[in-house]
């Protein structure tokens, strides 16, 4: 097999495990996100999805196993070093600076990506250039009209869109979207659909989401996680037609 037949993955985990006490919350997970891929991670509550994403980003250290980012072993790297290596993430609960404007939030991300520190410490030229780059990004993500608005004045759905813009400001090769549609109104959900679909093809995207409409519209490959283990991975058709997956979600709904 040639290198071209098996290109380096954007993210690849091998036998990844995390134990809290005697409980395996991530159990021998081997996972592959292709370069430029559109991949979704689904599973019932308590399946270990958030723990897995935290392992990928370095917020949680694995008990065993390895994580490779664009072919580089990042298992022991800090979260910051993974970000600098091309990994960006949005959070299930947003972490925006609520007293700053949309533009200022994205500008700070641009400065961080350029390793120029916070805007109060950056020189005037650096601040202006970062603000220009941030505004260009807001235009590309249809958020320019909100540029001067304070984050706390935005709807929750618009705040989630700003999180994606901040992720893009970090110029990632891999973007992890943690439940981007959670708590979002139908109107803002439509904008989220459009933004996700318009993400550059050069960026590999992993979305963790309960909204199956978004998952099946977005993903080319879906991985199902159950009790910390990979149940299966496949195309949307393979996943939707699998009796075991349907039983798990039916059972999950019955216990909701």
């Amino acid at each position: 097999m040639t290198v071209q037949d098996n290109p380096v993955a954007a993210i690849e985990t091998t036998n990844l495990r995390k134990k809290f006490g005697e409980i395996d919350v991530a159990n021998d997970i081997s996972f592959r996100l292709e370069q430029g891929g559109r991949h979704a991670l689904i599973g019932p509550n308590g399946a270990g999805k958030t723990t897995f994403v935290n392992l990928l980003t370095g917020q949680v250290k694995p008990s065993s196993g390895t994580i490779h980012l664009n072919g580089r072993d990042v298992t022991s790297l800090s979260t910051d070093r993974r970000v600098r290596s091309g990994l960006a993430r949005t959070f299930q609960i947003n972490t925006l600076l609520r007293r700053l404007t949309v533009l200022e939030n994205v500008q700070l991300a641009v400065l961080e990506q350029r390793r120029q520190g916070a805007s109060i410490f950056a020189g005037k030229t650096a601040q202006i250039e970062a603000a220009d780059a941030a505004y260009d990004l807001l235009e590309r993500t249809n958020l320019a009209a909100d540029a001067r608005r304070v984050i706390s004045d935005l709807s929750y759905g618009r705040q989630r869109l700003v999180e994606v813009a901040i992720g893009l400001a970090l110029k990632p090769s891999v973007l992890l979207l943690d439940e981007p549609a959670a708590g979002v109104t139908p109107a803002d959900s439509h904008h989220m659909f459009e933004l996700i679909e318009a993400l550059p093809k050069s960026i590999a995207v992993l979305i963790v989401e309960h909204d199956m409409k978004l998952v099946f519209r977005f993903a080319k490959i879906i991985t199902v996680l159950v009790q910390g283990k990979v149940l299966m991975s496949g195309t949307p058709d393979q996943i939707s037609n699998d009796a075991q997956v349907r039983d798990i979600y039916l059972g999950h709904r019955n216990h909701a």
Side-chain angles (χ1 to χ4, degrees):
M1 180 177 287
T2 66
V3 173
Q4 288 76 15
D5 293 329
N6 188 25
V8 172
I11 287 183
E12 187 164 22
T13 71
T14 304
N15 305 125
L16 195 63
R17 172 171 281 188
K18 179 61 183 179
K19 291 175 70 83
F20 289 118
E22 296 302 313
I23 300 173
D24 278 310
V25 290
N27 192 350
D28 202 33
I29 297 176
S30 292
F31 169 88
R32 183 180 175 95
L33 170 63
E34 300 293 348
Q35 295 279 349
R38 296 293 184 264
H39 201 126
L41 181 68
I42 66 172
N45 288 333
K49 301 185 299 296
T50 297
T51 297
F52 179 62
V53 172
N54 287 340
L55 286 165
L56 296 181
T57 58
Q59 291 174 290
V60 171
K61 294 189 179 301
S63 302
S64 60
T66 60
I67 304 166
H68 284 78
L69 175 63
N70 297 314
R72 178 187 182 190
D73 189 339
V74 297
T75 311
S76 62
L77 293 189
S78 67
T79 297
D80 288 345
R81 290 184 66 187
R82 294 186 202 197
V83 170
R84 294 189 190 119
S85 297
L87 180 64
R89 176 193 184 177
T90 67
F91 288 83
Q92 186 176 359
I93 300 173
N94 77 52
T95 56
L96 300 172
L97 299 174
R98 297 179 58 78
R99 295 185 180 182
L100 299 184
T101 66
V102 171
L103 182 63
E104 287 168 335
N105 270 265
V106 180
Q107 179 188 18
L108 286 171
V110 172
L111 287 165
E112 176 64 24
Q113 190 277 326
R114 295 177 177 180
R115 302 190 186 186
Q116 293 174 314
S119 62
I120 57 173
F121 299 114
K124 185 174 182 180
T125 298
Q127 290 183 47
I128 293 171
E129 290 176 348
D132 287 344
Y135 191 81
D136 287 345
L137 185 53
L138 292 177
E139 285 189 317
R140 297 202 303 273
T141 53
N142 294 318
L143 285 164
D146 294 322
R148 300 297 178 184
R149 296 183 66 188
V150 175
I151 291 292
S152 59
D153 290 340
L154 296 181
S155 69
Y156 184 72
R158 299 299 284 180
Q159 291 181 32
R160 300 310 302 265
L161 294 172
V162 175
E163 274 202 308
V164 178
I166 287 172
L168 294 174
L170 297 172
K171 295 187 176 180
S173 58
V174 179
L175 180 61
L176 308 181
L177 301 177
D178 193 353
E179 298 200 26
V184 174
T185 65
D188 284 330
S189 181
H190 173 73
H191 293 302
M192 182 64 76
F193 283 167
E194 290 184 333
L195 178 53
I196 292 174
E197 286 187 328
L199 289 172
K201 301 303 181 185
S202 59
I203 299 175
V205 183
L206 174 63
I207 184 171
V208 181
E209 185 55 68
H210 286 290
D211 185 335
M212 290 299 101
K213 182 180 178 182
L214 176 56
V215 167
F216 281 95
R217 177 171 171 174
F218 160 82
K220 303 299 183 186
I221 298 293
I222 300 171
T223 293
V224 183
L225 202 64
V226 178
Q227 295 182 343
K229 296 182 179 180
V230 173
L231 176 67
M232 69 174 295
S233 291
T235 66
D237 283 345
Q238 289 171 327
I239 296 299
S240 63
N241 291 324
D242 186 84
Q244 194 173 8
V245 172
R246 291 200 305 269
D247 288 346
I248 287 168
Y249 274 94
L250 180 61
H252 175 59
R253 287 197 298 271
N254 286 340
H255 289 88

